[in-house]
Amino acid sequence: MKTLEIRRKEFEIIEEINDYHWIATRKGKEYEVIDYSWHLGEFEDLITVDEKLNHTGIAHPRIYTYDKRTHVVAIERINSPTVLDELCVKNLSDDYFKEIFRANWFCKKDKFLLDFAPDQWKMFNGKLYYIGTYLGKFDENKTFEKDAIMLWVYSRELTAYLSAHGRTLDKTRLPINEGYIKKEICLKTIQFYL
């Protein structure tokens, strides 16, 4: 088996995703090991997001270790599909909305923004994890309920998003009346908005 060392911690590679990304184990736990030497900005963004979210109630894959010199990071592995993958198969349960509105509340409280697109989130063991590296300045117009909520239901906005990202569309899941989607969004917002 191939091994990789980060700051004197040895990881055993069990799967190669690509030339810069591996699934590895250490002491019986799985990690994603990523070499960011090709994209230093993303390395810095990841460290910043991890440090910020460690002080909030927003779940995220924790950084186990990283090397500032080589820009290699070992991150806790969240072994589940993205919310977007789930949404392509079926409608999301209320648990997803409860968790995303909770994350949205933490963003508002601490005055920062995350990427609320469904491909930046994963549900694992009943918790919603932010897997993105975007962390921005708070903007009331970019909160979940004002900007991204339509991407969390099978809507025209979601099908446009899927098409733009080369994903398969299922137009049979679109309701005939767009008002139905807006009513569903309104009810979810009333039910879960904190």
Side-chain angles (χ1 to χ4, degrees), residues 91-133:
N91 292 339
L92 302 175
S93 70
D94 284 350
D95 293 338
Y96 287 83
F97 289 94
K98 180 181 175 186
E99 288 290 310
I100 194 64
F101 272 107
R102 183 175 174 276
N104 187 56
W105 181 85
F106 281 112
C107 287
K108 286 181 174 187
K109 177 184 159 291
D110 291 341
K111 301 292 183 205
F112 66 92
L113 276 180
L114 298 176
D115 185 345
F116 287 111
D119 57 350
Q120 300 300 307
W121 298 83
K122 288 184 174 187
M123 182 70 85
F124 184 68
N125 290 337
K127 288 171 87 173
L128 191 64
Y129 286 78
Y130 180 61
I131 60 168
T133 58

Side-chain angles (χ1 to χ4, degrees), residues 18-21 34-42 70-71:
N18 58 40
D19 291 341
Y20 302 99
H21 189 173
I34 306 169
D35 179 353
Y36 284 102
S37 60
W38 56 275
H39 201 296
L40 299 181
E42 199 166 327
T70 62
H71 304 101

Side-chain angles (χ1 to χ4, degrees), residues 9-194:
K9 293 176 176 75
E10 202 167 271
F11 294 85
E12 188 175 297
I13 306 297
I14 58 173
E15 181 184 343
E16 184 174 328
I17 306 298
N18 58 40
D19 291 341
Y20 302 99
H21 189 173
W22 306 270
I23 306 300
T25 60
R26 176 175 165 75
K27 296 184 179 181
K29 292 187 179 179
E30 285 191 0
Y31 298 92
E32 290 191 43
V33 177
I34 306 169
D35 179 353
Y36 284 102
S37 60
W38 56 275
H39 201 296
L40 299 181
E42 199 166 327
F43 172 79
E44 292 164 3
D45 291 346
L46 178 70
I47 303 303
T48 301
V49 166
D50 183 70
E51 289 171 355
K52 177 68 175 179
L53 296 187
N54 283 342
H55 302 289
T56 70
I58 299 172
H60 63 288
R62 302 290 177 136
I63 293 177
Y64 177 69
T65 190
Y66 65 92
D67 188 325
K68 288 182 181 179
R69 187 179 48 79
T70 62
H71 304 101
V72 177
V73 182
I75 307 167
E76 171 187 19
R77 183 166 188 225
I78 307 302
N79 192 11
S80 65
T82 66
V83 171
L84 185 62
D85 293 332
E86 294 280 346
L87 191 52
C88 286
V89 176
K90 63 181 187 224
N91 292 339
L92 302 175
S93 70
D94 284 350
D95 293 338
Y96 287 83
F97 289 94
K98 180 181 175 186
E99 288 290 310
I100 194 64
F101 272 107
R102 183 175 174 276
N104 187 56
W105 181 85
F106 281 112
C107 287
K108 286 181 174 187
K109 177 184 159 291
D110 291 341
K111 301 292 183 205
F112 66 92
L113 276 180
L114 298 176
D115 185 345
F116 287 111
D119 57 350
Q120 300 300 307
W121 298 83
K122 288 184 174 187
M123 182 70 85
F124 184 68
N125 290 337
K127 288 171 87 173
L128 191 64
Y129 286 78
Y130 180 61
I131 60 168
T133 58
Y134 173 79
L135 178 71
K137 186 178 176 188
F138 183 74
D139 180 346
E140 185 64 43
N141 294 319
K142 300 283 184 184
T143 59
F144 174 70
E145 76 278 3
K146 292 183 181 173
D147 189 52
I149 195 167
M150 292 300 282
L151 297 177
W152 287 60
V153 294
Y154 218 90
S155 62
R156 288 192 181 121
E157 288 84 351
L158 177 66
T159 57
Y161 187 85
L162 291 171
S163 182
H165 289 82
R167 304 289 292 261
T168 306
L169 307 178
D170 182 358
K171 292 188 178 181
T172 63
R173 290 182 58 201
L174 279 172
I176 295 170
N177 183 350
E178 190 70 17
Y180 173 79
I181 293 290
K182 291 181 180 172
K183 180 181 176 184
E184 182 182 359
I185 292 297
C186 183
L187 291 173
K188 298 255 188 246
T189 303
I190 291 167
Q191 185 176 2
F192 299 112
Y193 186 82
L194 297 175

